[in-house]
Amino acid sequence: MHTYDESTDDLADEIVAYALDRIRMDPPPLDRPRTPDELRATVGTTVTPAGIGGHEAFRRFVDYIAPATISIDHPRYLSFVPGAPTEAAALFDLIVGASSMYGGSWMEASGAVYAENEALAWVAELAGFPDTAGGVFVSGGTAGNLSALVTARHRAARDRSDRPARWKLLASAGAHSSIDHAARVMDVEIVRVPVDERGRLTGSALAKVLAEQPDDGYFAVAATAGVTNLGIVDDLAGVADAAAGAGLWFHVDGAYGGAALAAPAHRPLFAGVERADSFIVDPHKWLFSTFDCCALVYRDPEPARQAHTQHASYLDAITVRDEWNPSDYAVHLSRRARGLPFWFSLAVHGTDAYKEAIETTLAVAHAGGDLIRERDGFELVTEPELSILVFRRLGWTADDYDAWSDAALDSGFAFCLPSVHAGETIMRLCVVNPKTTVDDLAAILDSMQDFQR
Ligand SMILES: *Cc1c(COP(=O)(O)O)cnc(C)c1O
């Protein structure tokens, strides 16, 4: 099984050729979901005592499995938050897989950790953190938010001798579902801070809740820089003030929107992020890396190390050294050096290219906003702040949006799912792919305009 022979060579040729073709495709096929019955009938049973062989297993992937997975980098994939890995990032992901690196400790992967830390340092610099900031790449925003909030609670617990009746986390209704999930996992209560008329968490609303509902169990506030449904940024400076006044850990979830820190014209929206205790951004979203990759950075990494270092006799050889071990900064131990494709892409292209690519997507999204504003029968729900467009097709019901969206995906035209805002079904398009053009957005509006059920 573990030999590299002629048949491995043949398989390598097939696999590498396929990978290169896929990376070259412009655009890639959108593809679409299949039912379990369809997949049973086509892919069939693949895991057998004798094995089906490399060629056959790969054929089933190419013919049936790949077409049943949507390409997140298709320029008209505008649902959720798309991704658009650079060719450099996608290629380097092959290397990470081939190299059998253990990305958890300095001892085992010093070179990889050094490179990952170079990329993290750029993220920390974007956020305006001091040089002493540090962190780790985790699987996604969900893992990043959880790890940051665990650190926050650990620090709060360390600073007192008793325990509150209930630990409490402050967040707005706009906070991502992963913040709720973290609260469930940690068994803490979320206290909701009302949002302003634009849907933002503000410092004044936070201060009001703290004054009107005093409690000794508050340990952190989680603000969002780029609310996933509407793409708006909370009042980070105001929240930073209120959090500092109350001695709370200030976490900023920029999983989607944090990338816009690289666009100088949008930087003022994020004023105050530099005062956060922890910050996350997902390079697999708007920083052009492959899944799965979230950059988690702490202003002061020490409380994170105290919260997350695992101690075991077999690990002591690592933990007793004064070295930077990525394992120590999140809820994990073994880890893939998942920051390397991002690092490689940054190193290849330079941060100026990142800035330009992000500015391109922002310009396309804002031009799309103009198209919607000018078009009869369409109406913006909110003015676009980052790169998310939310709008109505006047007269449409939820069923109309669903029917159009299904038809667009079935035909391979586009993947655009409706969303819900204030109880109303609306259309939501998220632009993070520099290959998405204003013409793509116009084609989508045309298709919605002409659609007949
Ligand atoms: C996408 C997103 C998350 C979750 O990130 P995953 O990488 O999917 O775990 C968290 N917060 C925000 C604001 C997001 O947009």
Side-chain angles (χ1 to χ4, degrees):
M1 214 158 72
H2 290 81
T3 40
Y4 194 104
D5 56 18
E6 255 170 52
S7 71
T8 326
D9 243 342
D10 292 343
L11 193 56
D13 288 344
E14 273 188 82
I15 287 179
V16 173
Y18 176 92
L20 295 184
D21 279 348
R22 172 62 182 81
I23 290 168
R24 279 191 201 107
M25 276 179 184
D26 186 15
L30 182 58
D31 299 322
R32 63 185 176 80
R34 305 299 203 278
T35 65
D37 283 343
E38 286 175 296
L39 289 169
R40 220 167 282 125
T42 52
V43 182
T45 300
T46 51
V47 177
T48 65
I52 61 175
H55 180 74
E56 181 56 20
F58 192 54
R59 188 188 70 81
R60 304 232 195 142
F61 172 79
V62 173
D63 290 351
Y64 308 120
I65 297 174
T69 61
I70 297 179
S71 301
I72 58 140
D73 56 342
H74 188 283
R76 291 196 203 125
Y77 178 129
L78 302 167
S79 295
F80 310 114
V81 181
T86 59
E87 285 70 12
L91 286 168
F92 208 78
D93 216 332
L94 301 175
I95 301 286
V96 177
S99 303
S100 295
M101 295 178 249
Y102 173 82
S105 73
W106 184 267
M107 183 191 241
E108 286 165 277
S110 54
V113 177
Y114 174 87
E116 283 192 310
N117 285 350
E118 287 258 298
L120 283 171
W122 180 62
V123 170
E125 185 191 315
L126 285 181
F129 280 7
D131 292 348
T132 45
V136 60
F137 289 101
V138 294
S139 61
T142 301
N145 284 333
L146 174 64
S147 297
L149 293 172
V150 165
T151 300
R153 197 219 354 228
H154 190 267
R155 191 196 62 166
R158 191 199 61 195
D159 290 350
R160 58 191 287 167
S161 51
D162 60 338
R163 289 287 172 275
R166 197 98 170 94
W167 288 111
K168 293 185 177 180
L169 168 66
L170 294 134
S172 81
H176 188 263
S177 52
S178 56
I179 297 288
D180 298 51
H181 187 227
R184 281 202 303 283
V185 171
M186 296 168 67
D187 190 24
V188 304
E189 186 178 325
I190 295 196
V191 174
R192 294 290 174 193
V193 181
V195 294
D196 71 1
E197 68 292 343
R198 281 165 57 200
R200 300 180 317 152
L201 168 65
T202 63
S204 53
L206 174 59
K208 193 155 175 265
V209 168
L210 291 170
E212 289 176 0
Q213 304 171 46
D215 195 290
D216 74 341
Y218 294 128
F219 67 96
V221 54
T224 315
V227 171
T228 322
N229 205 28
L230 303 178
I232 50 165
V233 181
D234 286 341
D235 163 31
L236 302 180
V239 173
D241 286 338
L248 294 174
W249 183 279
F250 175 32
H251 174 65
V252 175
D253 175 1
Y256 148 69
L261 282 166
H266 284 76
R267 184 63 176 78
L269 280 174
F270 296 85
V273 67
E274 66 284 352
R275 293 164 63 196
D277 293 294
S278 51
F279 169 74
I280 66 156
V281 58
D282 277 353
H284 67 216
K285 286 179 173 168
W286 200 1
L287 288 173
F288 319 124
S289 196
T290 49
F291 287 122
D292 46 8
C293 191
C294 166
L296 160 62
V297 285
Y298 299 96
R299 148 186 304 285
D300 173 9
E302 184 52 25
R305 201 180 60 78
Q306 289 172 12
H308 291 294
T309 301
Q310 296 187 26
H311 297 280
S313 45
Y314 84 99
L315 291 172
D316 282 352
I318 288 170
T319 46
V320 297
R321 291 167 181 243
D322 187 19
E323 288 170 343
W324 186 271
N325 297 316
S327 291
D328 292 347
Y329 300 93
V331 184
H332 60 190
L333 183 63
S334 295
R335 64 179 291 276
R336 174 180 164 83
R338 61 169 61 81
L340 286 185
F342 175 50
W343 159 76
F344 187 70
S345 182
L346 273 174
V348 168
H349 296 293
T351 56
D352 285 351
Y354 269 70
K355 166 177 163 279
E356 279 162 33
I358 292 161
E359 282 174 339
T360 298
T361 53
L362 283 160
V364 166
H366 286 258
D370 294 340
L371 291 181
I372 294 163
R373 206 176 293 107
E374 288 154 12
R375 191 180 276 245
D376 288 341
F378 289 78
E379 187 176 82
L380 285 169
V381 174
T382 55
E383 284 299 315
E385 207 164 88
L386 295 178
S387 68
I388 292 174
L389 297 169
V390 275
F391 59 99
R392 358 184 126 79
R393 167 89 170 86
L394 296 175
W396 270 18
T397 62
D399 289 347
D400 293 314
Y401 288 100
D402 286 341
W404 173 79
S405 174
D406 289 349
L409 181 58
D410 274 347
S411 64
F413 169 67
F415 182 41
C416 306
L417 286 177
S419 181
V420 174
H421 173 64
E424 178 193 0
T425 300
I426 42 126
M427 186 45 69
R428 172 183 173 281
L429 305 178
C430 179
V431 181
V432 303
N433 187 339
K435 290 184 175 169
T436 302
T437 62
V438 181
D439 285 348
D440 286 319
L441 300 179
I444 286 166
L445 297 179
D446 287 344
S447 166
M448 289 176 74
Q449 184 138 28
D450 299 342
F451 183 66
Q452 304 285 343
R453 282 175 75 189

